[in-house]
Amino acid sequence: VKKSKGLKKREEIMRMDPYRTNNSLNTFKLFDVWNPKNENKISKYQSRQILRAPKTRLPTNYESYNPSSEYLFNKKEKENLLKIPENERNGRIIPIKYDCLRKVPQFDRFVHERFERCLDLYLLPRKIRKKTVINPKDLLPKLPSVNDLKPFPEILTNEYCGHAQTVRCIDISSCGQWIVSGSDDGTIRIFEIDSGREFYRHSFGKNNRIQSVQFNPMQNKQSLLSVVCKHRCFLIPISFISSSNEHQRFVID
């Protein structure tokens, strides 16, 4: 009969000092732990909840010693199954047909399989975990109200039109008067910000996508425009932004 840990400890204390033991020890009755009728008594002495081991999967027609011909593999199906690693087969085996049960050989990996199962039960104890149910919407941050984001532009004032395809890059001059844009149609266009009128246009070809455009960042010397197109950089002088005298002087310097 299996004894509980507390009962063993009381017996050791009684051997050392019998006067320290409680009188209730004499009235304690032993019971069979393995009897299913005594489950209520066992639960009183257990401090943790023990889960039973999962049951093994029941055999199917593939595990039969005499399966029908439709379950047998041909040579190609057998080779395809052997190419898959054992941990990825999901329990699938190669069915073998025997005439009678007496001709079925003993399982060669029986001891190894039982040892691994006992090792899993020993090293991986089962425990009940409470799963928290969380709404995915609660994890997202709450967006602020539209009224809190004001003031922001609500009316279309200027529109810069002219490109036939998607605009990939833009840049504004340091004086704040001009804006340049590059598109997938291979063209660059310079607009006046206040009026939206197009002042300059240059085409690099239909298949040459504009990757980057930028004005000269130096104040009062904005006569050059750099354009990156197909891993090449082009410098384009812009005459209407600054006077011709300043443009020639800046290029010479």
Side-chain angles (χ1 to χ4, degrees):
V1 181
K2 189 176 180 180
K3 296 182 180 180
S4 62
K5 187 177 180 180
L7 184 60
K8 289 182 179 180
K9 189 175 182 180
R10 288 187 178 184
E11 290 181 354
E12 292 178 359
I13 294 174
M14 188 173 65
R15 294 192 196 99
M16 298 171 59
D17 190 3
Y19 296 101
R20 291 178 57 189
T21 58
N22 195 1
N23 295 329
S24 61
L25 181 64
N26 300 326
T27 60
F28 183 79
K29 295 182 181 180
L30 302 177
F31 57 90
D32 187 7
V33 179
W34 307 110
N35 191 354
K37 297 180 180 180
N38 298 327
E39 290 184 356
N40 297 330
K41 297 180 181 179
I42 295 172
S43 60
K44 297 179 181 179
Y45 300 96
Q46 287 181 344
S47 59
R48 62 185 180 88
Q49 189 175 6
I50 300 176
L51 300 179
R52 294 181 180 179
K55 295 182 179 180
T56 56
R57 184 175 59 87
L58 296 177
T60 59
N61 294 328
Y62 286 97
E63 287 86 357
S64 175
Y65 72 92
N66 190 12
S68 57
S69 58
E70 60 186 13
Y71 291 101
L72 298 177
F73 288 176
N74 53 25
K75 186 177 180 180
K76 186 176 181 179
E77 292 176 347
K78 186 177 180 180
E79 291 177 355
N80 294 335
L81 185 62
L82 292 175
K83 291 179 182 178
I84 303 174
E86 292 187 2
N87 55 352
E88 298 180 3
R89 293 180 186 177
N90 298 327
R92 293 193 62 187
I93 63 173
I94 300 175
I96 304 175
K97 189 171 184 178
Y98 298 96
D99 297 336
C100 58
L101 188 59
R102 291 185 289 105
K103 296 183 180 181
V104 178
Q106 187 179 3
F107 182 43
D108 54 348
R109 300 189 61 190
F110 176 77
V111 179
H112 179 74
E113 187 183 70
R114 290 297 173 182
F115 174 75
E116 286 186 346
R117 181 171 175 81
C118 295
L119 197 64
D120 293 341
L121 297 176
Y122 172 69
L123 297 177
L124 302 174
R126 294 164 305 282
K127 184 179 180 182
I128 295 179
R129 293 183 178 272
K130 293 183 179 180
K131 185 178 179 181
T132 57
V133 181
I134 301 175
N135 189 7
K137 296 182 179 179
D138 297 339
L139 301 177
L140 298 176
K142 294 183 179 180
L143 297 177
S145 177
V146 180
N147 298 326
D148 298 339
L149 300 176
K150 289 182 178 181
F152 53 84
E154 298 179 355
I155 301 173
L156 180 63
T157 56
N158 289 335
E159 187 175 3
Y160 308 98
C161 302
H163 287 292
Q165 296 184 17
T166 306
V167 176
R168 295 291 179 182
C169 50
I170 60 172
D171 187 41
I172 300 175
S173 62
S174 58
C175 63
Q177 185 179 358
W178 311 99
I179 180 172
V180 61
S181 60
S183 175
D184 288 347
D185 57 3
T187 62
I188 60 169
R189 299 171 187 266
I190 297 179
F191 302 91
E192 189 179 13
I193 294 179
D194 295 335
S195 62
R197 186 175 59 170
E198 180 182 339
F199 274 79
Y200 180 80
R201 180 194 309 169
H202 185 78
S203 177
F204 291 87
K206 294 183 179 180
N207 298 327
N208 297 328
R209 187 178 71 178
I210 307 300
Q211 298 178 353
S212 177
V213 291
Q214 188 176 7
F215 282 109
N216 185 4
M218 298 179 65
Q219 190 72 20
N220 298 326
K221 294 181 179 180
Q222 301 168 355
S223 59
L224 286 179
L225 174 67
S226 63
V227 181
V228 178
C229 177
K230 277 197 172 181
H231 306 287
R232 292 184 180 182
C233 182
F234 299 91
L235 296 178
I236 302 175
I238 307 298
S239 59
F240 60 86
I241 293 181
S242 60
S243 62
S244 60
N245 296 331
E246 291 182 359
H247 167 65
Q248 293 177 1
R249 193 187 311 159
F250 176 71
V251 173
I252 293 173
D253 295 337

